[in-house]
Every structure is written in structure tokens, then in C-alpha cells.
Amino acid sequence: MRAPFDVHAAHARVLLRDLQVVPMKAGRATLSYAEMEAAGHFDRPCTPHAVIEYLNACIGDSQGDAEIPGEAIAYVAGEEDLRAIARECRLPVEVVRRQLSGRRTLTLRTMMGALRALGLQLRVELAG
């Protein structure tokens, strides 16, 4: 079973359909992945466009908090892709898992490697 992770309000809006999240402290509610999956309250994005839309929404709503896009990448990756991400980043799987879950600082190197392993890239565009 996967370790519990924090679901931020912005992240929860993207992940959850019918579940009412009651913040436990400072806008956060803690749910385990297994609880969310068992309750059937979310659909993991599985098409490339759905993954892109989901990750862009999480990055846009993160307000600079690297934990949200990190959790989102781990969420869409699944266990098998976490191994591919670890190979791409040349890091142990557990280090990648900790960085993406927010238990360790997410580095740009890991984020870029994770996106590359998923066949994606990070871009910079003009605002507006």
C-alpha cells in the first residue's frame, strides 16, 4: 500500500469528483491513495492529452509549491513508470518517490527527468 499523501485544495479539485474534502489544517486534508482509489472518487488520466491537462492544472494551481506537481507526476506515473523515472534520473526509486511525494526537496533535475521518462517536456511561454 502506498503511503498517505497530502491532497491540497487545488489538487483535490482536479483529482476528486464527488468527495467533499474537509480541511484538517490550513486548507489540507489527508487521504491515502488506497482510500481514494477504493472510494472510486477519481479517474487517473490515461491519455497523453489528459495527462498534460492534469499536470498543467496542478502546476498552475500550485502557486510555486513544488510538492503539488511532484505528487501529480507520481500519481500519473504509477509504480512501473517510477522505476523508469529513477533510471532516467539515475537515482534510486526510493529517492525519486520521496522527492515526488514532498518528503524530500524536489529538484529540477528530478522533475525534468520525470517528465522526460513520461515522454513530456517542460516549457516556458509568455504570460497572457
Side-chain angles (χ1 to χ4, degrees):
M1 184 158 86
R2 209 166 157 186
F5 61 93
D6 288 331
V7 179
H8 301 267
H11 196 135
R13 182 171 49 77
V14 175
L15 281 178
L16 308 174
R17 285 191 307 239
D18 302 318
L19 182 66
Q20 282 191 316
V21 177
V22 179
M24 296 175 81
K25 60 179 175 177
R28 290 183 164 200
T30 302
L31 297 174
S32 74
Y33 173 82
E35 289 169 334
M36 290 171 60
E37 187 172 49
H41 290 296
F42 62 86
D43 295 320
R44 178 174 299 202
C46 53
T47 66
H49 293 292
V51 169
I52 290 167
E53 184 178 318
Y54 173 74
L55 291 176
N56 280 334
C58 289
I59 290 169
D61 290 346
S62 70
Q63 298 180 0
D65 182 2
E67 191 174 315
I68 293 173
E71 288 176 352
I73 290 169
Y75 172 68
V76 298
E79 191 61 35
E80 186 174 310
D81 285 335
L82 277 179
R83 289 187 196 94
I85 291 169
R87 280 192 303 276
E88 179 70 33
C89 297
R90 296 183 180 156
L91 293 169
V93 175
E94 198 50 42
V95 171
V96 170
R97 185 177 285 117
R98 283 188 205 123
Q99 284 190 24
L100 294 177
S101 70
R103 291 181 285 159
R104 199 169 166 178
T105 303
L106 178 61
T107 64
L108 182 59
R109 176 182 168 208
T110 300
M111 182 174 282
M112 298 297 284
L115 293 173
R116 258 193 322 274
L118 295 173
L120 303 171
Q121 63 182 348
L122 186 64
R123 287 193 193 172
V124 176
E125 295 180 358
L126 286 174

